[in-house]
Structure formats: C-alpha cells, structure tokens
Amino acid sequence: MALLRTMEPEWLDEIPADDFRAIRSRRDLKRINAFMLQTAILARLLTRHQTTPPRRIIELGSGDGTFMLGVARRLASVWPEVHVVFLDRQNIVSDETRENFRALNWQTESVSADVFDFLSAQKPGSADIVTANLFLHHFSEQALSRLFAFAAQLAPLFVACEPRRSSSALIASHMVIALGCNDVSRHDAVVSVRAGFSGQELSKLWPQDRGWNLQEQPALPFTHCFAARRIERAGHADV
C-alpha cells in the first residue's frame, strides 16, 4: 500500500541557526546527502538536461552552500564561470565555502529571503537553471503549484532531488542514528520521508501548458528526482 503524504514541522527549521543542535544537524545533513549520493544524482540530472554551460543558477533552500559546492566540483571542468545564487531564509554560507567556489572559478551570491518573495521579484528569464535539494517536501501541494509557476517564468530548466516516500525509505530514515545523527536529524529524517514524493506527484503540479518536457522518477534507493525543461520550438531558443 502506498504511503500517504503527511507533513509536520522539521525541528531544524524551528531552532536558531547558531544553536549547537542546529550546527550539529547541518553536519549530519552532509552525511545523509553523502549516503544518498545526492551530489552525484543532481550533477547527473543537470548535465542530462542542460546541454550548454549555464550562466546563472539559483539554488532554493541552499543552507550553508556546501551541497552545491559538491555539485560544482563535479561540473566546474565543463561548466566554467557559473554564477550561483544561494537562496535561504538565513545567510549561513561561510567565507571558506565562498573561497572554495572561487577556486573553481564560480561566483556566489547569498540572498536571505522568503522563497515566494524572492521568486515573485525576479525578472522572467533571468536564470538558466533553478535547483532544489531536499527542499520541496517542506511545502503543501498548493504552495508547490505556486512555487512552480514562478520557477517556470524564471528559468528554462528546473531540477530537484527530494526524499522518496516509500516503505523502504521510511525504514532507513529510522536508522540514521547509525550515521551518528543527533536527535534533530533523527526526527527530521522521518518527517522528510513522510513528506516526500512518489510517482508523478510533482509533474502534476507543474504548469500544464504543454511547453515543457517533464521527467520524474526514483534514483537509487531513497531519492525522488524531478526535472522540467522548456521545449525549444523552431526559431525560438530558450532564454
């Protein structure tokens, strides 16, 4: 029987960014991303759907920027001089992380804002790619439809990696203690899977104007992938 999608608050979103439990949980999240092979999955999705080097990438819910740094290290040799915008409610990207991006010849910019306030203020076509990693599951279907409507105006490619909502993933989420995760991470891992996605749930929320190629599928044991690419028409190139 398929698991019904349920949502409840994640503790990391509710405690101050400088709280020691939050700092520890962000370190735990790096372990979880590594265990799930998230950087490899997202890098592969990006190169599959983006045929030319992008100029500007916007990452929604970017956290401390280290996840995108892992992606950049995989892509910098073929995608030079990319400008990355980190969007998060808190600016916690360290100087060290920014320097690591500069070493790859990528530029960074941090924006602390609500995702809807930010997206609604952007000029249409002002980015090449919008990405999200373990971020969309925080939103209801109604909110996601609104977010997708903004994203579709902003860039010709949207790519996301989210928790897969399945029995096996739920069992695994109860076992992150084996990775040394603290109480915040153990709680949020279970909540994330229950709020995750399966089937074509995200595709159904994307604007249905037939101008997009949508692909949605599982990747490896615990990840759910979604990509929306604007279809090029004869005589009309993507922005």
Side-chain angles (χ1 to χ4, degrees):
M1 180 181 295
L3 299 177
L4 294 177
R5 184 172 189 243
T6 60
M7 299 178 62
E8 61 181 278
E10 295 187 15
W11 289 357
L12 185 57
D13 296 332
E14 299 186 329
I15 58 180
D18 57 355
D19 186 288
F20 77 95
R21 293 165 71 223
I23 295 171
R24 169 68 183 278
S25 185
R26 288 196 295 272
R27 289 202 300 262
D28 294 343
L29 188 57
K30 295 177 185 179
R31 295 192 192 97
I32 292 172
N33 273 315
F35 179 75
M36 295 175 67
L37 301 177
Q38 291 292 91
T39 56
I41 293 171
L42 184 59
R44 186 165 59 248
L45 278 175
L46 287 170
T47 54
R48 179 187 304 164
H49 295 284
Q50 180 71 25
T51 57
T52 58
R55 297 158 297 175
R56 188 170 188 249
I57 298 175
I58 297 174
E59 183 186 14
L60 308 181
S62 57
D64 64 5
T66 56
F67 174 78
M68 184 54 71
L69 177 61
V71 175
R73 284 171 169 157
R74 292 174 177 271
L75 300 181
S77 63
V78 292
W79 286 6
E81 300 180 358
V82 176
H83 182 95
V84 181
V85 179
F86 299 123
L87 175 66
D88 203 277
R89 292 186 300 178
Q90 300 170 318
N91 183 3
I92 55 175
V93 181
S94 70
D95 291 340
E96 179 183 2
T97 297
R98 296 182 191 281
E99 183 58 38
N100 286 331
F101 273 99
R102 283 193 288 270
L104 297 172
N105 202 26
W106 284 33
Q107 301 302 310
T108 61
E109 173 188 351
S110 291
V111 178
S112 301
D114 172 82
V115 64
F116 294 105
D117 292 341
F118 173 83
L119 291 175
S120 63
Q122 298 305 295
K123 180 181 177 182
S126 59
D128 298 295
I129 305 172
V130 177
T131 72
N133 177 62
L134 305 182
F135 178 69
L136 301 183
H137 68 277
H138 292 90
F139 298 92
S140 67
E141 285 78 4
Q142 181 178 9
L144 283 172
S145 292
R146 184 182 175 211
L147 188 155
F148 285 170
F150 284 128
Q153 294 294 317
L154 181 56
L157 177 62
F158 180 93
V159 175
C161 293
E162 291 296 312
R164 186 191 307 178
R165 195 178 73 252
S166 67
S167 298
S168 59
L170 186 59
I171 292 170
S173 70
H174 285 280
M175 300 174 66
V176 296
I177 189 173
L179 299 176
C181 295
N182 73 353
D183 61 321
V184 175
S185 303
R186 295 195 300 270
H187 172 273
D188 289 356
V190 176
V191 170
S192 295
V193 171
R194 289 174 175 164
F197 303 98
S198 65
Q200 300 297 302
E201 292 173 340
L202 293 173
S203 297
K204 293 176 182 177
L205 300 174
W206 192 263
Q208 302 297 307
D209 62 3
R210 296 187 179 182
W212 294 84
N213 177 22
L214 306 180
Q215 296 187 19
E216 186 171 0
Q217 65 277 318
L220 298 176
F222 309 121
T223 303
H224 187 80
C225 299
F226 173 69
R229 175 73 190 179
R230 186 178 297 144
I231 299 171
E232 293 188 27
R233 296 182 176 87
H236 296 274
D238 285 348
V239 176

